Amino acid sequence: MVKNVLLALLALTGFSAHATVILQYHHVSDSTPAITSVTPAQFKEQMQYLAENNFNVVPLSTVVESIKAKKALPAKTIAITFDDGYRSIANTAHPILKQYKFPYTLFVSVEPILKEYGEMMSWQQLITLSEEGAEIANHSWGHEHLIRKLSGETEAQWLARIESNILRTENEIAKATGQNLKMLAYPYGEYNKQIEEMLDKHGFVAFGQQSGAAGPYSPLTALPRFPVAGVYADLNSLKVKLHSLNMPVLAQTNSNPELSQGQWRPEIKVTLDMSDINASQLMCFIQGQGAKKPNWVSDNEFSIQAELDLPAGRSRYNCTAPSKSKGSYYWFSQPWVRPKSNGQWIAE
């Protein structure tokens, strides 16, 4: 109740307008898979657009600190992140970012570095980038599917293994770079409530791969990012996202992304602060099933549910609504992960 009252007060002060758009990249290359890549030309164009249009590009840690402190950042604030630590970031992206003096964060897994997997940066490269201002953060030890259990593993054993994985990775990053940011990007964007609670216990914040602007209404263990790659790398479509707002969600039911056996058409109910939103203009999209109008339960609460079973793997519900006063879109996304037909993921 106290949290909901606080969020309502924040909305009245206009704090929701001061959202931060967090961009998520993987490769910056012409020769890597398009689905996880932007070309060097596209990346250069995007960074030039940010510079020429006076976006406020800040370190990701600054975004986290502002959300924790309930402190507004300037409008048009952006944070830039890269997952996995590919060499193309050091060779191609870093010089462009350095040209514009843009800070950025690298989320890295330790095992691929130690085993010198193809296309991965070395520790020395990461240390060099760190010394030049890059933030180095946690992406798990081996880029595992964190929600998957080993064969015969109990719930307690699984969670203890994931806890050890994350803490061990954080310690290794701190030992190599001196940075101990306690920021985790979920590999594949997969997480569940048990992992969120464990991370919160250890003082971590975490980032998914669901779309939306981050801000005071975002859970600190599931902060949204906009993936930039493939069809989502086009600057014209990206411009809309760069100006997006933090959807003023006051309450939500059923926010655990990991679906249980037989619950393949999850329903969520979302309560919004409606002071800057017209209910008639809010529209939702169910991945693979297209646009769907929400069902308004009350003046400020709507429900949304898939009409068909969600497929195995990762899906999203996305909802957007134009601001009545700011000329931008509020954006909300709920990720889902449906296990295979046996009702659970088994780690390989």
Side-chain angles (χ1 to χ4, degrees):
M1 178 65 71
V2 173
K3 179 182 178 183
N4 287 352
V5 171
L6 175 61
L7 290 175
L9 289 172
L10 290 171
L12 290 173
T13 64
F15 191 12
S16 62
H18 299 289
T20 298
V21 170
I22 305 171
L23 302 178
Q24 179 211 11
Y25 295 92
H26 286 86
H27 301 276
V28 179
S29 172
D30 288 308
S31 59
T32 48
I35 194 170
T36 54
S37 303
V38 295
T39 68
Q42 287 174 322
F43 188 74
K44 173 72 173 179
E45 180 186 37
Q46 292 163 9
M47 297 305 104
Q48 183 176 343
Y49 177 82
L50 295 180
E52 291 179 349
N53 289 274
N54 300 312
F55 280 84
N56 179 45
V57 182
V58 301
L60 189 61
S61 59
T62 299
V63 177
V64 170
E65 290 164 6
S66 73
I67 295 175
K68 285 182 175 180
K70 305 291 190 291
K71 179 181 177 182
L73 289 168
K76 297 171 65 175
T77 293
I78 302 289
I80 299 168
T81 70
F82 300 89
D83 285 7
D84 303 332
Y86 292 107
R87 283 199 298 268
S88 68
I89 308 310
N91 298 336
T92 305
H94 178 74
I96 296 171
L97 292 161
K98 190 173 182 179
Q99 174 188 345
Y100 292 109
K101 298 181 180 179
F102 287 166
Y104 64 95
T105 300
L106 287 163
F107 287 104
V108 300
S109 298
V110 172
E111 186 177 61
I113 299 170
L114 297 178
K115 293 186 175 180
E116 299 181 352
Y117 288 173
E119 302 298 326
M120 292 296 174
M121 280 186 263
S122 66
W123 271 126
Q124 187 52 57
Q125 286 176 302
L126 288 167
I127 291 167
T128 298
L129 295 183
S130 173
E131 290 171 347
E132 293 190 25
E135 294 184 335
I136 313 298
N138 197 319
H139 202 34
S140 82
W141 186 264
H143 203 277
E144 296 88 355
H145 292 269
L146 297 181
I147 66 174
R148 299 190 186 187
K149 296 179 177 65
L150 300 174
S151 181
E153 194 172 41
T154 66
E155 187 87 3
Q157 290 169 334
W158 156 75
L159 190 56
R161 175 172 58 85
I162 299 306
E163 183 176 37
S164 175
N165 178 313
I166 301 306
L167 297 179
R168 182 185 176 199
T169 303
E170 193 71 16
N171 288 336
E172 194 72 16
I173 291 171
K175 184 172 69 174
T177 69
Q179 298 194 37
N180 183 209
L181 297 170
K182 288 195 171 182
M183 299 191 304
L184 170 73
Y186 295 117
Y188 311 101
E190 296 177 358
Y191 63 96
N192 59 23
K193 280 298 178 185
Q194 296 98 309
I195 293 175
E196 288 188 89
E197 290 169 1
M198 179 271 291
L199 292 172
D200 184 60
K201 179 182 72 173
H202 289 288
F204 276 77
V205 298
F207 302 82
Q209 295 182 16
Q210 73 274 20
S211 298
Y217 302 99
S218 305
L220 281 167
T221 49
L223 290 163
R225 296 185 291 168
F226 281 109
V228 188
V231 296
Y232 301 112
D234 176 72
L235 180 59
N236 287 328
S237 63
L238 185 59
K239 287 177 183 178
V240 177
K241 298 173 183 177
L242 291 173
H243 293 274
S244 62
L245 302 170
N246 186 211
M247 185 73 84
V249 176
L250 301 178
Q252 180 187 338
T253 65
N254 196 18
S255 60
N256 187 355
E258 186 178 20
L259 298 176
S260 301
Q261 178 71 38
Q263 297 179 342
W264 308 146
R265 303 181 188 184
E267 180 185 30
I268 59 173
K269 292 182 180 179
V270 180
T271 304
L272 300 178
D273 182 286
M274 300 295 292
S275 56
D276 194 41
I277 296 173
N278 284 323
S280 62
Q281 292 182 299
L282 189 139
M283 180 59 71
C284 296
F285 302 83
I286 296 175
Q287 189 170 335
Q289 299 182 32
K292 184 177 177 64
K293 290 186 177 181
N295 174 40
W296 286 95
V297 180
S298 68
D299 289 343
N300 68 337
E301 182 184 27
F302 71 88
S303 67
I304 190 75
Q305 183 176 20
E307 295 182 359
L308 305 173
D309 289 356
L310 297 179
R314 298 182 290 275
S315 301
R316 302 279 188 273
Y317 289 177
N318 290 328
C319 297
T320 60
S323 162
K324 291 193 293 188
S325 64
K326 302 177 182 70
S328 301
Y329 276 82
Y330 290 98
W331 202 298
F332 164 81
S333 182
Q334 170 62 42
W336 303 110
V337 186
R338 174 182 167 173
K340 295 179 180 178
S341 58
N342 62 6
Q344 62 178 332
W345 288 112
I346 299 295
E348 297 175 355

